[in-house]
Amino acid sequence: MSEKELAQHIIRLVGGKENIASVQHCATRLRIVVHDKDKINVKEVENLDKVKGSFFNAGQYQIILGTGLVNRVYDEAMTQLNLAAESPVPEDTTSKPVYGNKFQRAIRMFSDVFVPIIPVLVATGLFMGLRGLLTQEAVLGVFGMTPDDIPNQLLLFTQILTDTAFAFLPALVCWSTFKNFGGSPVIGIVLGLMLVSNSLPSAYDVGSGAAEPLVFFGFIKVAGYQGSVLPAFATGVLTAKFEKWLRKRVPDAIDLIVTPFVTLVVGIVLALFVLGPILHTVENVVLYAVEGLLTLPFGIGGLLYGSFGQLLGIFGIHHILNFLEISMLANDGWNYLNPIGTCGNVAQAGAVLAVAIKALSAKTKQVAYPSCLSALLGITEPAVFGVNLRFVKPFIMAMIGGGCGGFLASLLGLRATGMSITGIPGTLLYLNEQLPFYILVNVVAFAVAFVLTYFFGFHSKMENQA
């Protein structure tokens, strides 16, 4: 089945064009907001070729397609629905259904902003890992070289690859925020670039003591926001809404001149003198609190997050972690959440493999075996929603396995150079002395979840009860 045909079938089975309020996608799932969810034929959707499962969460019907495919199906769906992928949020939202509580909608808002910029940050993380590998003395020694033999031009080239995305992170965040909240994305880009202007002392230089912040009005300290997320996000939300409000009131004859000018002035004043100083402090407090939790003594932090972090995806609030991971990487170049979260994903693979081996139903085996491979590649939705959560106990055993792996990862002090890839592809984030330990903790997580599920978490009679 081609992507065009798959998109056609999905649109038909969710109730047709008239039942679709909006369509978005993340790295693996097509996310559809519908007017009437009772019109969705879930069984037929899940029986479609290339569909790995589906579920309804936080007001969205989410269809699991996998990386790459989801982008192509989304493009086809948008074409067939006659919608522009880059179009701003419609002004009139009175006819759109509202699902979930305020907290769920806020998390979904975070997701809509951060998901589009994640691929760039994934690539940056891989560049960091490869640079770390190629500059290791042990690797260079194989070719009879030392770190001093690496040309400065090559090092400069690698720094361009690894530093650019995080240095201009506010521009990416403001662009995505403006796009999602109906503002002009180009204004968002410029506003974000103003936050990291060369005219401001760099946040990195101020943090290291190499430069002093500028002082306005005798008490407001201002510096660049390189690597900062929350100030750019809040500035983008408020300024995009202000731009939409302004466009309704400025005469068309002078809109081209007045609206961008006033929007940028108001936005940068808000960012530098109000939102920035406050939210940057809040961002640092949250970051230090999370890092403090993960570094609790005796591996307690890894045990807790490895066990219960898997519940975040079920409740649709796992995208809040994107903000934390981006902040960690921008702050010191390391991601402390990834190795522990990876153990949770791999544990799901271990549990679903045990189900696949013990199951008598051909249908269960048909879903479970490929779900194991998907989970090992970092895509856990088929395993979680298609198998483990359906039988409950395998999911609990996976939580235990993830906790054991996370406990060990915390004790070993594992940390990644990037984000958003786990399992087997995640090895690219540990191409240094950590790689053997990364493999070890994941083998432990997989094995514990597999053994517990095989002997205690699943039996064939459960297939008739699910």
Side-chain angles (χ1 to χ4, degrees), residues 21-39:
S22 68
V23 181
Q24 295 175 319
H25 75 91
C26 59
T28 60
R29 286 163 283 163
L30 193 67
R31 307 187 319 182
I32 305 173
V33 176
V34 297
H35 295 288
D36 184 359
K37 66 179 182 180
D38 293 330
K39 292 183 179 180

Side-chain angles (χ1 to χ4, degrees), residues 225-238:
Y225 288 94
Q226 287 83 0
S228 196
V229 176
L230 202 53
F233 174 76
T235 299
V237 172
L238 293 178

Side-chain angles (χ1 to χ4, degrees), residues 1-3 6 45-53 63-66 69 72-73:
M1 184 183 297
S2 68
E3 285 84 4
L6 182 56
V45 169
E46 293 183 342
N47 285 332
L48 289 173
D49 184 32
K50 299 180 182 179
V51 171
K52 300 178 175 66
I63 303 172
I64 306 164
L65 297 173
L69 177 61
R72 298 191 295 273
V73 173

Side-chain angles (χ1 to χ4, degrees), residues 30-95:
L30 193 67
R31 307 187 319 182
I32 305 173
V33 176
V34 297
H35 295 288
D36 184 359
K37 66 179 182 180
D38 293 330
K39 292 183 179 180
I40 300 174
N41 192 327
V42 176
K43 186 174 181 180
E44 287 197 31
V45 169
E46 293 183 342
N47 285 332
L48 289 173
D49 184 32
K50 299 180 182 179
V51 171
K52 300 178 175 66
S54 69
F55 58 97
F56 202 92
N57 196 355
Q60 295 175 322
Y61 181 55
Q62 305 189 20
I63 303 172
I64 306 164
L65 297 173
T67 55
L69 177 61
V70 69
N71 300 75
R72 298 191 295 273
V73 173
Y74 169 79
D75 291 339
E76 286 290 346
M78 298 301 281
T79 300
Q80 294 174 31
L81 293 169
N82 297 319
L83 297 174
E86 296 296 326
S87 62
V89 177
E91 293 286 342
D92 180 17
T93 59
T94 57
S95 62

Side-chain angles (χ1 to χ4, degrees), residues 418-431:
M419 61 181 290
S420 293
I421 54 174
T422 59
I424 295 173
T427 56
L428 295 172
L429 304 180
Y430 300 86
L431 295 178

